[in-house]
Amino acid sequence: MKIKYDLIHKDKNSEARLGVIHTNYGSYETPMFMPVGTQATVKTLSPEELKDVKAGIILSNTYHLWLRPGEDVIDKAGGLHKFMNWDGPILTDSGGFQVFSLAKPKDITEEGVKFKNQYNGDNLLLTPEKSIEIQNKLDSDIAMSFDECVGFPHTREYVEKSVERTLRWAKRGKDVFNNPRQSLFGIVQGAEYEDLRKHCVEELVKMDFDGYSIGGTAVGEPKDIQYLQVEYSTKYLPKDKVRYLMGVGDPIDIIENVIRGVDIFDCVSPTRLARHGHALTKFGKINLKNAKYKMDFTPIDESCDCYSCKHYTKAYIKHLLNAEETFGARLLSIHNIRYLIHLTEELREAIKEDRTLEFREEFIKNYYGEHHE
């Protein structure tokens, strides 16, 4: 089936929306945070642990899975769900972000993007058609259009050309898309220019995608520019389709962009922070490698219901990190992902009660207040 989105309630004082996404694997309330499983696994965690933190949709990366093990291996295994033993919904990105992070401008042409395979040195060409073909074989629930993600800073002239190319690529991808179990999202580009974002939305809506993503954020731009980019996109997007902000996972950014009408988010940050010893808490981000936690026998966050907070102390996790034991990063990954999922649960409650703006104020006071490290 194609995913469906139902708008349940809109906050009276902001653009924040409470909704439900219906997928092949059940229905999920939004706003929602989606953990990232780049290589068909959320780093260090099992599917059971992801269920335990109440994860709904999870992400995998088309580009990385194309390089290894290859889409044919996953197809042969019966698709990504069977391959990685995840019985919830999966979203695959298109490889567009790798255009931004790995390719040089001269490698981007109308046809597609040239890459060197980092594992064997082969020359590769990723085109809109190839990206969709790979995603059709991966058999995710939601596939992404292949787009060009423009970095920051940039010139308006470049962004104008890039938006037109992204639209042509979206059309080419949609023309070859042929998996009836899958939904396809269009990606809104246009940097911080309202007229370009509006134009991009209008053209994508004419193509009638199953949902829409907001791209070109979290690429080095200041927060105020990010919020404008989102505002200039959600303002024109249809009310009856899901809106996905790509690559954004800082707690305050999730709140600010929910207030601007975004439904779903993803980011590698919770597991990346964990691997560096950082934990997200109600009172800000803390670094468990710091000496002050050596004798701290309290949980990471007293108010958290995750496995790590129920069973282990800061002192123990600090010891694991110092000893370079993987279990430390695992416990912090469980906690950080649960923290962001719990944040979206709290946001859903706030939207129901039309108090999203108050929720933001209270969050800022706690997270950035006097307790902050």
Side-chain angles (χ1 to χ4, degrees):
M1 66 175 257
K2 299 290 185 191
I3 70 154
K4 301 261 188 311
Y5 173 79
D6 290 334
L7 177 58
I8 305 298
H9 179 75
K10 189 179 154 302
D11 187 308
K12 289 191 178 74
N13 309 305
S14 75
E15 292 304 309
R17 313 165 3 128
L18 176 74
V20 176
I21 300 180
H22 305 284
T23 76
N24 295 309
Y25 292 86
S27 299
Y28 299 85
E29 284 197 330
T30 62
M32 169 203 282
F33 177 78
M34 306 182 289
V36 176
T38 301
Q39 313 263 13
T41 176
V42 175
K43 281 199 193 313
T44 76
L45 301 192
S46 70
E48 292 72 22
E49 286 164 327
L50 287 170
K51 282 269 186 306
D52 205 38
V53 295
K54 301 188 169 57
I57 304 173
I58 60 172
L59 251 78
S60 275
N61 184 293
T62 296
Y63 173 82
H64 290 288
L65 294 176
W66 174 42
L67 298 195
R68 59 177 193 199
E71 68 275 22
D72 292 332
V73 172
I74 293 171
D75 189 26
K76 200 95 179 162
L80 204 44
H81 293 89
K82 280 213 171 66
F83 187 59
M84 65 187 283
N85 187 34
W86 176 251
D87 64 355
I90 299 173
L91 184 153
T92 43
D93 63 9
S94 63
F97 185 76
Q98 279 66 42
V99 171
F100 158 72
S101 61
L102 300 175
K104 297 181 173 64
K106 67 174 174 50
D107 299 327
I108 304 169
T109 64
E110 189 59 35
E111 191 187 356
V113 183
K114 290 189 194 119
F115 291 98
K116 233 185 197 12
N117 184 327
Q118 66 216 60
Y119 305 117
N120 62 14
D122 285 356
N123 289 319
L124 298 169
L125 179 69
L126 189 55
T127 64
E129 292 82 1
K130 183 67 183 169
S131 171
I132 294 298
E133 181 200 318
I134 297 164
Q135 292 182 82
N136 282 169
K137 281 188 173 171
L138 295 176
D139 200 27
S140 54
D141 303 277
I142 300 170
M144 290 288 139
S145 293
F146 189 61
D147 65 323
E148 185 189 357
C149 177
V150 177
F152 187 90
H154 39 247
T155 64
R156 180 179 164 106
E157 185 190 6
Y158 188 87
V159 177
E160 280 173 9
K161 291 195 180 107
S162 173
V163 164
E164 294 308 326
R165 180 186 287 144
T166 283
L167 289 168
R168 290 191 295 272
W169 283 0
K171 169 91 173 68
R172 280 166 55 188
K174 197 164 192 298
D175 287 346
V176 299
F177 181 80
N178 67 357
N179 183 335
R181 289 180 301 279
Q182 218 169 25
S183 299
L184 181 61
F185 281 22
I187 302 180
V188 181
Q189 292 290 353
E192 70 273 28
Y193 306 107
E194 182 167 6
D195 58 327
L196 299 184
R197 289 263 172 194
K198 179 175 189 245
H199 167 65
C200 194
V201 169
E202 286 168 351
E203 293 306 310
L204 290 171
V205 169
K206 283 179 197 165
M207 297 181 214
D208 191 27
F209 285 92
D210 302 308
Y212 297 92
S213 298
I214 300 163
T217 59
V219 292
E221 77 285 356
K223 285 189 188 296
D224 57 338
I225 300 248
Q226 180 194 107
Y227 303 156
L228 278 180
Q229 291 176 329
V230 171
E231 232 165 84
Y232 294 159
S233 306
T234 54
K235 194 168 169 180
Y236 302 105
L237 282 166
K239 305 270 186 273
D240 62 342
K241 298 271 175 89
V242 73
R243 301 160 176 183
Y244 159 37
L245 180 58
M246 308 177 82
V248 168
D250 188 16
I252 190 62
D253 294 345
I254 290 177
I255 296 167
E256 289 286 1
N257 290 309
V258 160
I259 285 168
R260 287 162 174 79
V262 171
D263 306 309
I264 56 178
F265 299 82
D266 82 283
C267 195
V268 296
S269 67
T271 48
R272 181 178 285 163
L273 286 169
R275 291 195 299 283
H276 291 100
H278 295 281
L280 298 166
T281 81
K282 187 178 178 177
F283 298 112
K285 192 167 68 184
I286 61 173
N287 184 352
L288 287 179
K289 289 181 174 175
N290 286 351
K292 66 177 180 181
Y293 299 115
K294 189 171 184 173
M295 304 289 270
D296 187 335
F297 303 110
T298 62
I300 304 166
D301 190 334
E302 301 276 4
S303 61
C304 180
D305 61 2
C306 81
Y307 170 81
S308 309
C309 288
K310 279 185 192 154
H311 296 95
Y312 298 100
T313 65
K314 295 190 194 85
Y316 178 63
I317 296 169
K318 174 179 169 47
H319 155 67
L320 294 175
L321 294 167
N322 287 352
E324 294 181 4
E325 287 288 347
T326 317
F327 192 41
R330 286 192 57 209
L331 289 173
L332 283 181
S333 294
I334 288 169
H335 168 75
N336 285 345
I337 290 175
R338 178 63 194 139
Y339 174 91
L340 291 180
I341 290 172
H342 180 65
L343 178 67
T344 57
E345 290 167 356
E346 290 186 310
L347 278 162
R348 298 200 290 261
E349 288 307 309
I351 296 167
K352 278 177 198 166
E353 295 163 10
D354 299 313
R355 57 175 182 84
T356 324
L357 299 180
E358 290 85 336
F359 179 87
R360 174 177 63 187
E361 295 320 305
E362 196 178 321
F363 174 85
I364 289 170
K365 202 165 69 208
N366 286 326
Y367 198 81
Y368 298 106
E370 65 276 17
H371 305 279
H372 194 55
E373 268 188 18

PDB file of all heavy atoms in Angstrom, residues 155-180:
ATOM      1  N   THR A 155      25.605  30.535  -4.114  1.00  0.00           N
ATOM      2  CA  THR A 155      25.074  31.724  -4.799  1.00  0.00           C
ATOM      3  C   THR A 155      23.642  31.437  -5.227  1.00  0.00           C
ATOM      4  O   THR A 155      23.273  30.285  -5.463  1.00  0.00           O
ATOM      5  CB  THR A 155      25.888  32.056  -6.065  1.00  0.00           C
ATOM      6  OG1 THR A 155      25.736  30.951  -6.983  1.00  0.00           O
ATOM      7  CG2 THR A 155      27.368  32.245  -5.749  1.00  0.00           C
ATOM      8  N   ARG A 156      22.864  32.494  -5.318  1.00  0.00           N
ATOM      9  CA  ARG A 156      21.475  32.327  -5.745  1.00  0.00           C
ATOM     10  C   ARG A 156      21.433  31.716  -7.149  1.00  0.00           C
ATOM     11  O   ARG A 156      20.602  30.851  -7.445  1.00  0.00           O
ATOM     12  CB  ARG A 156      20.740  33.672  -5.724  1.00  0.00           C
ATOM     13  CG  ARG A 156      19.284  33.473  -6.162  1.00  0.00           C
ATOM     14  CD  ARG A 156      18.432  34.711  -6.169  1.00  0.00           C
ATOM     15  NE  ARG A 156      17.240  34.390  -6.964  1.00  0.00           N
ATOM     16  CZ  ARG A 156      16.053  34.175  -6.447  1.00  0.00           C
ATOM     17  NH1 ARG A 156      15.856  34.225  -5.147  1.00  0.00           N
ATOM     18  NH2 ARG A 156      15.039  33.893  -7.241  1.00  0.00           N
ATOM     19  N   GLU A 157      22.334  32.155  -7.977  1.00  0.00           N
ATOM     20  CA  GLU A 157      22.375  31.679  -9.367  1.00  0.00           C
ATOM     21  C   GLU A 157      22.537  30.147  -9.406  1.00  0.00           C
ATOM     22  O   GLU A 157      21.854  29.456 -10.163  1.00  0.00           O
ATOM     23  CB  GLU A 157      23.555  32.364 -10.080  1.00  0.00           C
ATOM     24  CG  GLU A 157      23.635  32.062 -11.563  1.00  0.00           C
ATOM     25  CD  GLU A 157      24.955  32.567 -12.165  1.00  0.00           C
ATOM     26  OE1 GLU A 157      25.831  33.039 -11.407  1.00  0.00           O
ATOM     27  OE2 GLU A 157      25.091  32.456 -13.397  1.00  0.00           O
ATOM     28  N   TYR A 158      23.446  29.639  -8.552  1.00  0.00           N
ATOM     29  CA  TYR A 158      23.658  28.179  -8.521  1.00  0.00           C
ATOM     30  C   TYR A 158      22.395  27.474  -8.020  1.00  0.00           C
ATOM     31  O   TYR A 158      21.977  26.452  -8.574  1.00  0.00           O
ATOM     32  CB  TYR A 158      24.853  27.796  -7.643  1.00  0.00           C
ATOM     33  CG  TYR A 158      25.169  26.323  -7.790  1.00  0.00           C
ATOM     34  CD1 TYR A 158      26.007  25.873  -8.807  1.00  0.00           C
ATOM     35  CD2 TYR A 158      24.576  25.365  -6.965  1.00  0.00           C
ATOM     36  CE1 TYR A 158      26.267  24.519  -8.990  1.00  0.00           C
ATOM     37  CE2 TYR A 158      24.816  24.011  -7.142  1.00  0.00           C
ATOM     38  CZ  TYR A 158      25.665  23.585  -8.155  1.00  0.00           C
ATOM     39  OH  TYR A 158      25.895  22.244  -8.341  1.00  0.00           O
ATOM     40  N   VAL A 159      21.779  28.019  -6.967  1.00  0.00           N
ATOM     41  CA  VAL A 159      20.583  27.383  -6.386  1.00  0.00           C
ATOM     42  C   VAL A 159      19.448  27.343  -7.415  1.00  0.00           C
ATOM     43  O   VAL A 159      18.737  26.341  -7.524  1.00  0.00           O
ATOM     44  CB  VAL A 159      20.137  28.098  -5.083  1.00  0.00           C
ATOM     45  CG1 VAL A 159      18.863  27.472  -4.532  1.00  0.00           C
ATOM     46  CG2 VAL A 159      21.242  28.032  -4.028  1.00  0.00           C
ATOM     47  N   GLU A 160      19.296  28.411  -8.194  1.00  0.00           N
ATOM     48  CA  GLU A 160      18.243  28.444  -9.236  1.00  0.00           C
ATOM     49  C   GLU A 160      18.417  27.271 -10.203  1.00  0.00           C
ATOM     50  O   GLU A 160      17.465  26.543 -10.502  1.00  0.00           O
ATOM     51  CB  GLU A 160      18.307  29.764 -10.020  1.00  0.00           C
ATOM     52  CG  GLU A 160      17.653  30.919  -9.290  1.00  0.00           C
ATOM     53  CD  GLU A 160      17.876  32.256 -10.014  1.00  0.00           C
ATOM     54  OE1 GLU A 160      18.381  32.253 -11.159  1.00  0.00           O
ATOM     55  OE2 GLU A 160      17.547  33.298  -9.414  1.00  0.00           O
ATOM     56  N   LYS A 161      19.647  27.092 -10.690  1.00  0.00           N
ATOM     57  CA  LYS A 161      19.925  25.996 -11.637  1.00  0.00           C
ATOM     58  C   LYS A 161      19.712  24.640 -10.971  1.00  0.00           C
ATOM     59  O   LYS A 161      19.190  23.701 -11.571  1.00  0.00           O
ATOM     60  CB  LYS A 161      21.370  26.093 -12.141  1.00  0.00           C
ATOM     61  CG  LYS A 161      21.635  27.287 -13.047  1.00  0.00           C
ATOM     62  CD  LYS A 161      22.979  27.096 -13.778  1.00  0.00           C
ATOM     63  CE  LYS A 161      23.267  28.271 -14.701  1.00  0.00           C
ATOM     64  NZ  LYS A 161      24.325  29.152 -14.174  1.00  0.00           N
ATOM     65  N   SER A 162      20.154  24.549  -9.712  1.00  0.00           N
ATOM     66  CA  SER A 162      20.092  23.292  -8.968  1.00  0.00           C
ATOM     67  C   SER A 162      18.636  22.859  -8.729  1.00  0.00           C
ATOM     68  O   SER A 162      18.303  21.673  -8.826  1.00  0.00           O
ATOM     69  CB  SER A 162      20.829  23.461  -7.645  1.00  0.00           C
ATOM     70  OG  SER A 162      20.641  22.327  -6.859  1.00  0.00           O
ATOM     71  N   VAL A 163      17.769  23.824  -8.414  1.00  0.00           N
ATOM     72  CA  VAL A 163      16.343  23.511  -8.197  1.00  0.00           C
ATOM     73  C   VAL A 163      15.741  22.933  -9.472  1.00  0.00           C
ATOM     74  O   VAL A 163      15.015  21.928  -9.445  1.00  0.00           O
ATOM     75  CB  VAL A 163      15.555  24.763  -7.730  1.00  0.00           C
ATOM     76  CG1 VAL A 163      14.053  24.561  -7.870  1.00  0.00           C
ATOM     77  CG2 VAL A 163      15.894  25.095  -6.272  1.00  0.00           C
ATOM     78  N   GLU A 164      16.057  23.552 -10.608  1.00  0.00           N
ATOM     79  CA  GLU A 164      15.510  23.057 -11.890  1.00  0.00           C
ATOM     80  C   GLU A 164      16.002  21.636 -12.176  1.00  0.00           C
ATOM     81  O   GLU A 164      15.244  20.782 -12.643  1.00  0.00           O
ATOM     82  CB  GLU A 164      15.876  23.993 -13.048  1.00  0.00           C
ATOM     83  CG  GLU A 164      15.228  25.377 -12.963  1.00  0.00           C
ATOM     84  CD  GLU A 164      13.711  25.350 -12.759  1.00  0.00           C
ATOM     85  OE1 GLU A 164      13.038  24.430 -13.288  1.00  0.00           O
ATOM     86  OE2 GLU A 164      13.197  26.242 -12.046  1.00  0.00           O
ATOM     87  N   ARG A 165      17.277  21.407 -11.876  1.00  0.00           N
ATOM     88  CA  ARG A 165      17.818  20.061 -12.089  1.00  0.00           C
ATOM     89  C   ARG A 165      17.132  19.051 -11.155  1.00  0.00           C
ATOM     90  O   ARG A 165      16.773  17.953 -11.560  1.00  0.00           O
ATOM     91  CB  ARG A 165      19.329  20.059 -11.849  1.00  0.00           C
ATOM     92  CG  ARG A 165      19.951  18.675 -12.050  1.00  0.00           C
ATOM     93  CD  ARG A 165      21.414  18.662 -11.668  1.00  0.00           C
ATOM     94  NE  ARG A 165      22.216  19.344 -12.650  1.00  0.00           N
ATOM     95  CZ  ARG A 165      23.287  20.079 -12.383  1.00  0.00           C
ATOM     96  NH1 ARG A 165      23.660  20.242 -11.122  1.00  0.00           N
ATOM     97  NH2 ARG A 165      23.978  20.652 -13.344  1.00  0.00           N
ATOM     98  N   THR A 166      16.964  19.439  -9.883  1.00  0.00           N
ATOM     99  CA  THR A 166      16.287  18.565  -8.915  1.00  0.00           C
ATOM    100  C   THR A 166      14.877  18.213  -9.407  1.00  0.00           C
ATOM    101  O   THR A 166      14.436  17.068  -9.281  1.00  0.00           O
ATOM    102  CB  THR A 166      16.254  19.238  -7.518  1.00  0.00           C
ATOM    103  OG1 THR A 166      17.549  19.111  -6.925  1.00  0.00           O
ATOM    104  CG2 THR A 166      15.246  18.594  -6.590  1.00  0.00           C
ATOM    105  N   LEU A 167      14.194  19.177  -9.998  1.00  0.00           N
ATOM    106  CA  LEU A 167      12.838  18.925 -10.522  1.00  0.00           C
ATOM    107  C   LEU A 167      12.869  17.979 -11.730  1.00  0.00           C
ATOM    108  O   LEU A 167      12.040  17.079 -11.838  1.00  0.00           O
ATOM    109  CB  LEU A 167      12.154  20.253 -10.889  1.00  0.00           C
ATOM    110  CG  LEU A 167      11.746  21.125  -9.690  1.00  0.00           C
ATOM    111  CD1 LEU A 167      11.343  22.528 -10.140  1.00  0.00           C
ATOM    112  CD2 LEU A 167      10.606  20.479  -8.891  1.00  0.00           C
ATOM    113  N   ARG A 168      13.849  18.175 -12.594  1.00  0.00           N
ATOM    114  CA  ARG A 168      13.966  17.264 -13.753  1.00  0.00           C
ATOM    115  C   ARG A 168      14.299  15.853 -13.283  1.00  0.00           C
ATOM    116  O   ARG A 168      13.753  14.864 -13.782  1.00  0.00           O
ATOM    117  CB  ARG A 168      15.035  17.772 -14.746  1.00  0.00           C
ATOM    118  CG  ARG A 168      14.631  19.043 -15.490  1.00  0.00           C
ATOM    119  CD  ARG A 168      15.576  19.361 -16.643  1.00  0.00           C
ATOM    120  NE  ARG A 168      16.931  19.691 -16.215  1.00  0.00           N
ATOM    121  CZ  ARG A 168      17.365  20.918 -15.884  1.00  0.00           C
ATOM    122  NH1 ARG A 168      16.539  21.945 -15.924  1.00  0.00           N
ATOM    123  NH2 ARG A 168      18.632  21.106 -15.531  1.00  0.00           N
ATOM    124  N   TRP A 169      15.186  15.768 -12.282  1.00  0.00           N
ATOM    125  CA  TRP A 169      15.544  14.455 -11.728  1.00  0.00           C
ATOM    126  C   TRP A 169      14.338  13.798 -11.040  1.00  0.00           C
ATOM    127  O   TRP A 169      14.152  12.587 -11.133  1.00  0.00           O
ATOM    128  CB  TRP A 169      16.703  14.601 -10.740  1.00  0.00           C
ATOM    129  CG  TRP A 169      18.052  14.785 -11.373  1.00  0.00           C
ATOM    130  CD1 TRP A 169      18.332  14.826 -12.720  1.00  0.00           C
ATOM    131  CD2 TRP A 169      19.309  14.935 -10.701  1.00  0.00           C
ATOM    132  NE1 TRP A 169      19.689  15.004 -12.916  1.00  0.00           N
ATOM    133  CE2 TRP A 169      20.322  15.067 -11.694  1.00  0.00           C
ATOM    134  CE3 TRP A 169      19.695  14.982  -9.360  1.00  0.00           C
ATOM    135  CZ2 TRP A 169      21.664  15.241 -11.382  1.00  0.00           C
ATOM    136  CZ3 TRP A 169      21.036  15.149  -9.040  1.00  0.00           C
ATOM    137  CH2 TRP A 169      22.010  15.278 -10.041  1.00  0.00           C
ATOM    138  N   ALA A 170      13.534  14.597 -10.347  1.00  0.00           N
ATOM    139  CA  ALA A 170      12.342  14.060  -9.662  1.00  0.00           C
ATOM    140  C   ALA A 170      11.399  13.430 -10.690  1.00  0.00           C
ATOM    141  O   ALA A 170      10.875  12.325 -10.487  1.00  0.00           O
ATOM    142  CB  ALA A 170      11.630  15.172  -8.891  1.00  0.00           C
ATOM    143  N   LYS A 171      11.223  14.109 -11.813  1.00  0.00           N
ATOM    144  CA  LYS A 171      10.338  13.621 -12.888  1.00  0.00           C
ATOM    145  C   LYS A 171      10.904  12.326 -13.478  1.00  0.00           C
ATOM    146  O   LYS A 171      10.184  11.341 -13.673  1.00  0.00           O
ATOM    147  CB  LYS A 171      10.209  14.718 -13.946  1.00  0.00           C
ATOM    148  CG  LYS A 171       9.550  14.328 -15.246  1.00  0.00           C
ATOM    149  CD  LYS A 171       8.036  14.572 -15.175  1.00  0.00           C
ATOM    150  CE  LYS A 171       7.344  14.354 -16.510  1.00  0.00           C
ATOM    151  NZ  LYS A 171       7.351  12.934 -16.926  1.00  0.00           N
ATOM    152  N   ARG A 172      12.208  12.323 -13.730  1.00  0.00           N
ATOM    153  CA  ARG A 172      12.833  11.119 -14.309  1.00  0.00           C
ATOM    154  C   ARG A 172      12.710   9.928 -13.371  1.00  0.00           C
ATOM    155  O   ARG A 172      12.421   8.802 -13.800  1.00  0.00           O
ATOM    156  CB  ARG A 172      14.311  11.391 -14.624  1.00  0.00           C
ATOM    157  CG  ARG A 172      14.520  12.144 -15.933  1.00  0.00           C
ATOM    158  CD  ARG A 172      15.934  12.693 -16.054  1.00  0.00           C
ATOM    159  NE  ARG A 172      16.975  11.670 -15.895  1.00  0.00           N
ATOM    160  CZ  ARG A 172      18.268  11.940 -15.803  1.00  0.00           C
ATOM    161  NH1 ARG A 172      18.701  13.204 -15.842  1.00  0.00           N
ATOM    162  NH2 ARG A 172      19.163  10.960 -15.674  1.00  0.00           N
ATOM    163  N   GLY A 173      12.909  10.172 -12.084  1.00  0.00           N
ATOM    164  CA  GLY A 173      12.789   9.088 -11.104  1.00  0.00           C
ATOM    165  C   GLY A 173      11.368   8.572 -11.022  1.00  0.00           C
ATOM    166  O   GLY A 173      11.120   7.361 -10.980  1.00  0.00           O
ATOM    167  N   LYS A 174      10.415   9.500 -11.026  1.00  0.00           N
ATOM    168  CA  LYS A 174       8.998   9.107 -10.900  1.00  0.00           C
ATOM    169  C   LYS A 174       8.550   8.300 -12.122  1.00  0.00           C
ATOM    170  O   LYS A 174       7.755   7.365 -12.012  1.00  0.00           O
ATOM    171  CB  LYS A 174       8.121  10.352 -10.728  1.00  0.00           C
ATOM    172  CG  LYS A 174       6.730  10.025 -10.189  1.00  0.00           C
ATOM    173  CD  LYS A 174       6.022  11.253  -9.656  1.00  0.00           C
ATOM    174  CE  LYS A 174       4.776  10.880  -8.872  1.00  0.00           C
ATOM    175  NZ  LYS A 174       3.749  10.187  -9.627  1.00  0.00           N
ATOM    176  N   ASP A 175       9.099   8.647 -13.279  1.00  0.00           N
ATOM    177  CA  ASP A 175       8.724   7.944 -14.514  1.00  0.00           C
ATOM    178  C   ASP A 175       9.121   6.470 -14.504  1.00  0.00           C
ATOM    179  O   ASP A 175       8.478   5.654 -15.155  1.00  0.00           O
ATOM    180  CB  ASP A 175       9.355   8.633 -15.745  1.00  0.00           C
ATOM    181  CG  ASP A 175       8.662   9.954 -16.067  1.00  0.00           C
ATOM    182  OD1 ASP A 175       7.554  10.190 -15.514  1.00  0.00           O
ATOM    183  OD2 ASP A 175       9.213  10.749 -16.846  1.00  0.00           O
ATOM    184  N   VAL A 176      10.200   6.119 -13.791  1.00  0.00           N
ATOM    185  CA  VAL A 176      10.645   4.707 -13.799  1.00  0.00           C
ATOM    186  C   VAL A 176      10.255   3.962 -12.521  1.00  0.00           C
ATOM    187  O   VAL A 176      10.452   2.754 -12.414  1.00  0.00           O
ATOM    188  CB  VAL A 176      12.186   4.588 -13.998  1.00  0.00           C
ATOM    189  CG1 VAL A 176      12.603   5.181 -15.338  1.00  0.00           C
ATOM    190  CG2 VAL A 176      12.957   5.258 -12.850  1.00  0.00           C
ATOM    191  N   PHE A 177       9.698   4.675 -11.560  1.00  0.00           N
ATOM    192  CA  PHE A 177       9.338   4.080 -10.269  1.00  0.00           C
ATOM    193  C   PHE A 177       8.270   3.002 -10.478  1.00  0.00           C
ATOM    194  O   PHE A 177       7.240   3.257 -11.094  1.00  0.00           O
ATOM    195  CB  PHE A 177       8.804   5.190  -9.353  1.00  0.00           C
ATOM    196  CG  PHE A 177       8.405   4.731  -7.987  1.00  0.00           C
ATOM    197  CD1 PHE A 177       9.364   4.533  -7.012  1.00  0.00           C
ATOM    198  CD2 PHE A 177       7.074   4.504  -7.660  1.00  0.00           C
ATOM    199  CE1 PHE A 177       9.006   4.111  -5.735  1.00  0.00           C
ATOM    200  CE2 PHE A 177       6.715   4.081  -6.392  1.00  0.00           C
ATOM    201  CZ  PHE A 177       7.693   3.892  -5.430  1.00  0.00           C
ATOM    202  N   ASN A 178       8.512   1.783  -9.964  1.00  0.00           N
ATOM    203  CA  ASN A 178       7.513   0.734 -10.247  1.00  0.00           C
ATOM    204  C   ASN A 178       7.361  -0.324  -9.160  1.00  0.00           C
ATOM    205  O   ASN A 178       7.224  -1.502  -9.452  1.00  0.00           O
ATOM    206  CB  ASN A 178       7.818   0.055 -11.598  1.00  0.00           C
ATOM    207  CG  ASN A 178       9.126  -0.728 -11.529  1.00  0.00           C
ATOM    208  OD1 ASN A 178       9.808  -0.716 -10.505  1.00  0.00           O
ATOM    209  ND2 ASN A 178       9.482  -1.413 -12.598  1.00  0.00           N
ATOM    210  N   ASN A 179       7.408   0.087  -7.890  1.00  0.00           N
ATOM    211  CA  ASN A 179       7.149  -0.867  -6.816  1.00  0.00           C
ATOM    212  C   ASN A 179       5.827  -0.494  -6.138  1.00  0.00           C
ATOM    213  O   ASN A 179       5.747   0.507  -5.429  1.00  0.00           O
ATOM    214  CB  ASN A 179       8.301  -0.841  -5.801  1.00  0.00           C
ATOM    215  CG  ASN A 179       8.127  -1.862  -4.689  1.00  0.00           C
ATOM    216  OD1 ASN A 179       7.011  -2.274  -4.387  1.00  0.00           O
ATOM    217  ND2 ASN A 179       9.226  -2.264  -4.073  1.00  0.00           N
ATOM    218  N   PRO A 180       4.776  -1.294  -6.346  1.00  0.00           N
ATOM    219  CA  PRO A 180       3.448  -0.930  -5.829  1.00  0.00           C
ATOM    220  C   PRO A 180       3.356  -0.923  -4.292  1.00  0.00           C
ATOM    221  O   PRO A 180       2.457  -0.316  -3.726  1.00  0.00           O
ATOM    222  CB  PRO A 180       2.524  -2.010  -6.416  1.00  0.00           C
ATOM    223  CG  PRO A 180       3.418  -3.149  -6.770  1.00  0.00           C
ATOM    224  CD  PRO A 180       4.751  -2.556  -7.107  1.00  0.00           C
TER     225      PRO A 180
END
